[in-house]
Amino acid sequence: MGREVPPITVSQQDRRRYRKKMHSCLDVLAQMLREYRFDTGHEQMGLEIEFNLVDDTGAPSMKSTEALKAIDDPGWASELGQFNLEINVPPGPLSGDALAQLEKHIQESVNRADHRARRVGCRMAMIGILPTLGEIHVREESMSAHPRYWLLNEQIFAARGEEARIQIEGPEHLLTHVDNIMPEAACTSVQCHLQVSPDAFGSYWNAAQAVAVVQVALAANSPFLFGRELWRETRITLFQQATDTRPVELQAQGVRPRVWFGERWITSVFDLFEENIRYFPALLPLCEEEDPVVQLEQGGIPELAELTLHNGTVYRWNRPVYAVVDGQPHLRVENRVLPAGPTVADVIANAAFYYGLVRALAEAERPIWTRMSFAAAGDNLLEGARHGIDANLYWPGIGVVPATELTLRILLPLARDGLRRWGVDAAYAERTLGIIEQRCLAGRTGATWQAETVHALERGGRLSRAAALRQMTERYIEHMHRNEPVHTWPVG
């Protein structure tokens, strides 16, 4: 979805041609998998982190164009909303001190970007959903100018044929209707990429699906939306509802949503790309000149442009990625469940926990996906999003158990073993996983800190909800820049 697209009018002929090209791409992918045409010698990781821009009062700032110009760094890019930016971290190995260097690089990049963005009157906030965001900020006029966003917006609402209904029940209640995809821009996340071989892809994707719930529960950082306290990780349900192409009748019929956990464990990456084509109509039917069949027959490496563009409009929480870098094709698992923030230290701890745990589970003698139903994994995700670190989760061999107990007893030892297998420096692995451990012992995530702080500010009528959210956001940004893990932040 990072690809540039021109302003166009989509015809029925475009759709027929695009569908045909996607099937050609799928056939070529199958052939490449059979013939082992992929880069298998580099197991690399990479991160993308999305940010909000805020003004001096902590409210959203619609200055992404000016901020990017001031930052003047190719590692930073625009996102859907004019109040969003994203940093793309170059891929690299996990071994040695790579994670320590990654933390240092990201912190320096964020500090530099924030310093330069202040020249144009805005600051960086790394948070799952900006608490000061209001419905007034998620209108079409707040969308970035890139044609791909406007075309995507047009196509999603053409498919649905009506406004989107967003309804979320938590400690408080939200019901609203929107006529654009801008509420999606409220959802800022961290995406963890992991390059794996075709033979190992199924195991790593299945493992990533199994651990998604624990990631969400322990990293929850999105308790407020439009002034209301909702789920601990409201981002999960908001993203699904904001980009849903189904009217209520198709939802009742069981048509699959485009923000999708999935419905089965897999054996190959092919399963996921085949499902994409079978279940989801194209939103951006844009064809390239390349014929993937001819390209492969002539000894070249096809880009599979139609297949990958379509894949970018199916929002799996763990997405398969096919890419060609320096003439060499590879496969990645893109893990998309984590919210942004609260600090760089927390982000790296979340990433280290994920990379360690997914390796241990993917290489386990008795895989978890042979002991747990896929439906149980999906139910777990919703439980973790609703209740965060207070969630009770199902785990095979244990039953239903508090997320903190599951993590401390079972998952942290597995994550340590996984990081050891990656060759991560032992002292740094202990430091980062120690953050997860202390978070569990304290029972505090970004979401619990936000909610507790707002409640303390509101207590006894001291501040209104809007004023409490503004003040909490200001304190949050101060703590974020100190890079002290969220479990150490004071409340009140």
Side-chain angles (χ1 to χ4, degrees), residues 340-354:
T343 66
V344 173
D346 285 300
V347 166
I348 298 300
N350 293 337
F353 181 64
Y354 165 71

Side-chain angles (χ1 to χ4, degrees), residues 341-380:
T343 66
V344 173
D346 285 300
V347 166
I348 298 300
N350 293 337
F353 181 64
Y354 165 71
Y355 287 125
L357 191 53
V358 81
R359 171 104 187 225
L361 291 177
E363 297 181 354
E365 201 169 306
R366 191 181 172 201
I368 187 170
W369 53 94
T370 67
R371 299 181 288 132
M372 179 166 66
S373 72
F374 195 89
D379 291 344
N380 266 354

Side-chain angles (χ1 to χ4, degrees), residues 307-431:
L307 191 73
T308 58
L309 180 60
H310 184 56
N311 184 53
T313 65
V314 179
Y315 304 101
R316 296 178 185 271
W317 292 114
N318 284 290
R319 177 188 277 166
V321 176
Y322 168 93
V324 180
V325 177
D326 297 330
Q328 191 73 254
H330 71 258
L331 297 171
R332 301 195 305 270
V333 177
E334 181 190 12
N335 177 258
R336 300 162 48 82
V337 298
L338 288 169
T343 66
V344 173
D346 285 300
V347 166
I348 298 300
N350 293 337
F353 181 64
Y354 165 71
Y355 287 125
L357 191 53
V358 81
R359 171 104 187 225
L361 291 177
E363 297 181 354
E365 201 169 306
R366 191 181 172 201
I368 187 170
W369 53 94
T370 67
R371 299 181 288 132
M372 179 166 66
S373 72
F374 195 89
D379 291 344
N380 266 354
L381 180 66
L382 296 179
E383 173 71 13
R386 284 192 180 98
H387 302 292
I389 202 165
D390 296 318
N392 292 303
L393 309 175
Y394 171 78
W395 199 257
I398 301 176
V400 177
V401 63
T404 51
E405 182 181 342
L406 173 64
T407 302
L408 293 169
R409 282 178 50 197
I410 306 296
L411 303 184
L412 276 173
L414 287 173
R416 287 189 180 94
D417 180 57
L419 291 180
R420 179 189 58 78
R421 297 188 195 191
W422 285 120
V424 174
D425 176 78
Y428 189 80
E430 277 304 309
R431 174 180 173 266

Side-chain angles (χ1 to χ4, degrees), residues 202-215:
S203 295
Y204 274 87
W205 187 85
N206 289 342
Q209 290 285 92
V211 305
V213 57
V214 187
Q215 291 180 270

Side-chain angles (χ1 to χ4, degrees), residues 205-318:
W205 187 85
N206 289 342
Q209 290 285 92
V211 305
V213 57
V214 187
Q215 291 180 270
V216 168
L218 300 187
N221 197 29
S222 311
F224 292 102
L225 174 65
F226 303 154
R228 296 169 179 83
E229 184 180 354
L230 303 170
W231 292 13
R232 283 301 190 237
E233 190 46 45
T234 304
R235 201 183 102 262
I236 297 295
T237 186
L238 174 61
F239 191 71
Q240 178 171 335
Q241 295 183 51
T243 57
D244 203 338
T245 56
R246 308 168 302 165
V248 292
E249 295 81 4
L250 291 186
Q251 293 178 34
Q253 292 175 37
V255 172
R256 295 159 181 84
R258 295 192 86 97
V259 176
W260 199 35
F261 185 72
E263 60 191 18
R264 60 174 176 145
W265 305 115
I266 66 167
T267 57
S268 167
V269 67
F270 181 87
D271 298 344
L272 302 179
F273 284 108
E274 188 274 333
E275 282 182 346
N276 286 356
I277 294 177
R278 180 152 44 105
Y279 295 143
F280 301 104
L283 291 179
L284 302 175
L286 308 172
C287 290
E288 297 292 335
E289 292 302 317
E290 177 189 85
D291 184 326
V293 176
V294 171
Q295 181 76 354
L296 192 66
E297 287 176 348
Q298 293 178 347
I301 300 299
E303 296 286 341
L304 305 184
E306 292 78 18
L307 191 73
T308 58
L309 180 60
H310 184 56
N311 184 53
T313 65
V314 179
Y315 304 101
R316 296 178 185 271
W317 292 114
N318 284 290

Side-chain angles (χ1 to χ4, degrees), residues 23-43:
H23 281 282
S24 291
C25 288
L26 189 64
D27 291 341
V28 168
L29 175 65
Q31 183 176 344
M32 293 175 70
L33 289 168
R34 287 194 303 270
E35 296 175 356
Y36 298 97
R37 299 259 188 141
F38 289 86
D39 178 8
T40 59
H42 301 89
E43 294 176 321

